Structure formats: structure tokens, C-alpha cells
Amino acid sequence: PIPRTLYKKRVTVVGYGAVGSCLVRYLVTMGADVTVVRRRDWTSATVGGDNDNNPHDITHDSIRKSNSLSEALPGTQVLFLACPLTNETFHCINQDTISLLPKGALVVNIARGGLVEYNAMLEALRSGAVGGYASDVGIGHAEKPSEPWDPDDPISKLPHTLFTPHVGGYSDYAYTIMAQRIVDAIENVIQGKPPPVWVNRPEK
């Protein structure tokens, strides 16, 4: 098959934190037509994303902004999941939300397996409603842990799925940054300051 490009594709990114905002920067650079779904109000968004220390710049004029998954999914050709797993986002990709995607859309999960409901995705892949599912974090199954994901599961055997064991970001640089951020977070908390990266930051 001929490889497909992201250029001019309708891409939706769910989550605009440290990972999501960095991903958006690259997608815009590659010429994708990007929509970002963010749970917080957009008026409070920093240019680099929800992580105030994110150094990447991206003008908000380069992306479409949304607070609603149901609003963003119609027309989405490639869907990236880059948001935290919370009570609100658990199984946010399910039979109802998958039905909003155009037939053959691709779904990439770089966040948490529990964002995607297993039975809905399995059915969508078998029917062709979803053209492919790639995940570094497994998938939300009722009886199995999402990580490490079962390589012998029926969904793993489909030709248009790709699972990696949460190693998509591993590199010498990544290990160095992770260690430094852990130290920075501990030092901030000891000093009575909020950690630089705060996933469950209370709403203001």
C-alpha cells in the first residue's frame, strides 16, 4: 500500500498538556489541519500548553480549539489521545464516540489504555469503522490490565493494530529529563510550591 501522509489531514488531539502541546507543534509543522480538545477553558491556555514550563511555541491561530469531543470528532481522519485518565475521560472512546468518526479513521493512543473501550474498538476494527489502532499503553479491557497488554488477545492479532509496551518515548534524553523532573517536583513540594508538572491540578 502507498504510505499516507499527515499533510492536509484532519487531525484531532485530545489533551493539551506537556505531551499534547508538543505533539501539536509537530503536527502543525507537518502541515496537518489540527483540532485540539481541551477540558479547561481556552482563555486560560498558555501558548505552550497546560504545562507552564513547556518551551514549545505555537500560535493558537494555527489550530482549531474545542472543549467538546463530540464536536471535534466528525471529519477527524487521525485521532491522537494525549490526555490524563480520569473519571471524566475513562472509556471516552466508545461505541458512541467512534460512530462520530468518518469510516476508516486512525486512532493513536499515547496516553492511557483506559481511555478506549475494548469491545467498541474491537468491533470498529473488524467492521472497518476504524482503519487502525496504535497504542503504547494497551486498551481498556474489563478483565485484563491495559499494561502490559496481552500479545495473544484477538485485537492484537488484527493486521491493522500496533501495540508497543509503553516504550514509545524511551531514549537516553528521555531518561535524563524524567529523572530531573522528579527531582524538581520533590524540591518544589518540600519548599511548599506546586510541582512543575501537575496532572490533577485543581480547577481555578
Side-chain angles (χ1 to χ4, degrees):
I2 299 175
R4 288 185 282 177
T5 178
L6 287 167
Y7 182 69
K8 296 293 185 184
K9 290 290 191 302
R10 287 282 303 276
V11 178
T12 293
V13 177
V14 181
Y16 196 59
V19 175
S21 60
C22 185
L23 173 62
V24 166
R25 175 174 175 260
Y26 289 121
L27 290 169
V28 169
T29 301
M30 288 187 284
D33 181 2
V34 181
T35 297
V36 179
V37 180
R38 179 180 188 268
R39 64 185 174 127
R40 297 191 182 104
D41 186 78
W42 276 98
T43 57
S44 64
T46 59
V47 172
D50 291 336
N51 175 9
D52 295 338
N53 291 332
N54 192 316
H56 301 307
D57 298 317
I58 182 170
T59 60
H60 285 183
D61 293 339
S62 301
I63 60 176
R64 290 188 176 93
K65 297 177 281 290
S66 177
N67 297 107
S68 167
L69 196 59
S70 59
E71 174 187 84
L73 291 184
T76 294
Q77 295 169 283
V78 184
L79 173 64
F80 285 92
L81 303 175
C83 61
L85 178 62
T86 65
N87 290 335
E88 181 184 359
T89 61
F90 177 72
H91 284 182
C92 64
I93 304 305
N94 52 51
Q95 187 174 26
D96 291 338
T97 50
I98 288 173
S99 70
L100 299 174
L101 291 166
K103 184 178 177 64
L106 305 178
V107 180
V108 182
N109 189 353
I110 55 174
R112 289 292 180 267
L115 298 173
V116 181
E117 200 275 308
Y118 173 87
N119 289 327
M121 182 55 68
L122 179 61
E123 180 182 343
L125 288 164
R126 284 174 168 168
S127 70
V130 170
Y133 178 70
S135 177
D136 194 38
V137 290
I139 191 168
H141 195 286
E143 299 174 358
K144 298 180 183 180
S146 58
E147 297 182 65
W149 182 244
D150 179 6
D152 295 318
D153 187 89
I155 201 170
S156 306
K157 302 297 186 182
L158 295 176
H160 44 336
T161 60
L162 175 64
F163 290 94
T164 50
H166 213 142
V167 295
Y170 278 13
S171 67
D172 53 350
Y173 177 75
Y175 273 117
T176 301
I177 291 299
M178 283 191 290
Q180 185 59 56
R181 288 189 174 175
I182 290 170
V183 172
D184 291 345
I186 292 171
E187 289 181 343
N188 274 32
V189 171
I190 289 173
Q191 296 169 17
K193 302 175 183 177
V197 178
W198 191 348
V199 173
N200 62 340
R201 185 191 301 270
E203 297 285 351
K204 296 180 179 179

